[in-house]
Amino acid sequence: MIQTTIPQFPDFTLKISLFKDVINSAEIRSKIADYPFAFIDAKTICSVEQLMAALYRVFIEKNYNRIRTKSLTSECLLCLAPTSNIGEAFRRFGLKDDTKEVICVQIIPTEDLPLDEVDISSLIDGFEVDMNDEHLKQFCDKNIIREIYKFDASFQPNSIEEVTRAVVSAIQLRGM
Amino acid sequence: MSQEIIDIVQNYLTPNIPITLVSQGAEAVVFTTHVHPYLPQDSNKTGETKYIIKYRPHKKYRHPVIDQQLTKKRTLGESRLLAKLYQIDGLKVPKLIACDQYNGCIWLEFLGSQLPDNNGFSNLKHFLWWNKADPYNNVVKESLLKVGQQIGILHWNDYVHGDLTSSNIVMVQDKLGVNVWNPHLIDFGLGGVSNMVEDKGVDLYVLERAIISTHSAFSDQYVEWIMQGFSQVYEQHGATGEKKLKELLKRFHEVRMRGRKRTMIG
Ligand SMILES: Nc1ncnc2c1ncn2[C@@H]1O[C@H](COP(=O)(O)O)[C@@H](O)[C@H]1O
């Protein structure tokens, strides 16, 4: 798990965990509205930087009262997307019934941190692994990412770093 | 005035992001910081990597609504352009890290370094000055060929810079060789898409003027090397490339003549 804050928005703390071999995605999906988490299909995420770029954007939107979904956690999915179509963002980045690798993001007011008792591993039937670039690189699907972010045919990234650069730009520029 | 803007930006960024003023232009104020806007701090790296924060302050003489629209438009214009340019094979521009369109703030990768012996920041202008004792050495030649190639790639893809001075070309030392410098283009605030030879000719002319004004004794050779690198890019594209290059060089010549006349008259 990564626990971090975005320097410009210290009032909130982020807890990000990564699971593999998950077998109850369908069950999590059916109750998703009850949980104060964003569940993300790890196939769509190639690096920590991609996810954090979207979380930064969540707080920028919040700062200017531009949140368009019902919570900060659902806004994570929208902020990952290259377009402002909420339904599509949920469909693309959210869990499918058969998702095996799951990223889970919790956004907690920093002052409430000592009270936070939610144990994410009790909700997810799978194995927690370190949330890092190495694992994300292994779990992501470059073709799906290419399709979601609609890369130009001429753009042929040679590395995950180049993919990251392209998606970070798309995330920062959405709707503009 | 200046302190007021620094306070506004510092307040916006919170004390968690200490900033240093780098430059204050008419359009934008530029700062550096060691704090990444959103990546978890890697304790090993802290203090090493720098980031650029470019802020477009509100203009009091403009109507607030128009001011906000303009800020948004220019911040977005530059960010969008950088994102596009970054995907062009071989072109070297700073990476876009973050963009707060509502407040006119963008974060970029910091490029370049301080040249040895107090020779200043490694933009092309300082880089050439630094080499003035041996002005035609091979490192200078190779570097200027690469400067030309960068502009060639930009123009071949139908983008123009709009303010191509020798300060807006940053020399980045290659990781693998101390004598290898890779030019990067910065400050696309006035840049955009264009397929007009006029815009491209003006880019080349602006750079030529910049080099003549700061390195007059060596400028003929310097511009020749730049144009050699520039031409190589076009020549790689066969007959179409050659044809476009010819038109472009002709227009560059005309822009130059017009410029001369203007300076002679007044
Ligand atoms: N990406 C960058 N890396 C290093 N220095 C930069 C960068 N962007 C801007 N600067 C510095 O800030 C000055 C003004 O930036 P600009 O307003 O973009 O022309 C430049 O002349 C550079 O010295």
Side-chain angles (χ1 to χ4, degrees), chain B residues 31-50:
Chain B
F31 300 90
T32 54
T33 182
H34 287 287
V35 181
H36 191 283
Y38 49 79
L39 273 186
Q41 297 247 358
D42 174 351
S43 48
N44 310 321
K45 270 195 181 165
T46 325
E48 255 181 63
T49 319
K50 268 204 269 186

Side-chain angles (χ1 to χ4, degrees), chain B residues 22-23 28 30 52 54 94 108-111 121 167-168 186-187:
Chain B
V22 188
S23 115
V30 177
I52 286 279
K54 193 165 174 178
L108 305 172
E109 167 190 27
F110 180 90
L111 297 169
F121 178 67
S167 306
N168 284 335
I186 64 164
D187 191 6

Side-chain angles (χ1 to χ4, degrees), chain A residues 46-47 50 142 145-146 151 155 157-168:
Chain A
C46 68
S47 62
Q50 176 187 0
K142 280 198 233 160
I145 292 173
R146 184 172 191 105
F151 291 171
F155 177 56
N158 294 312
S159 64
I160 285 288
E161 287 70 38
E162 286 185 36
V163 177
T164 295
R165 276 198 162 192
V167 301
V168 165

Side-chain angles (χ1 to χ4, degrees), chain B residues 156 231-248:
Chain B
W156 173 257
S231 303
Q232 281 167 6
V233 175
Y234 276 74
E235 283 157 0
Q236 276 164 14
H237 292 92
T240 332
E242 304 263 6
K243 181 164 167 277
K244 285 192 172 179
L245 178 64
K246 223 171 127 194
E247 285 166 29
L248 224 166

Side-chain angles (χ1 to χ4, degrees), chain B residues 151-163:
Chain B
I151 306 165
I153 299 173
L154 182 76
H155 285 182
W156 173 257
N157 285 283
D158 284 337
Y159 291 96
V160 292
H161 185 282
D163 185 22

Side-chain angles (χ1 to χ4, degrees), chain B residues 180-191:
Chain B
V180 181
W181 293 83
N182 300 313
H184 289 57
L185 306 179
I186 64 164
D187 191 6
F188 282 88
L190 298 172

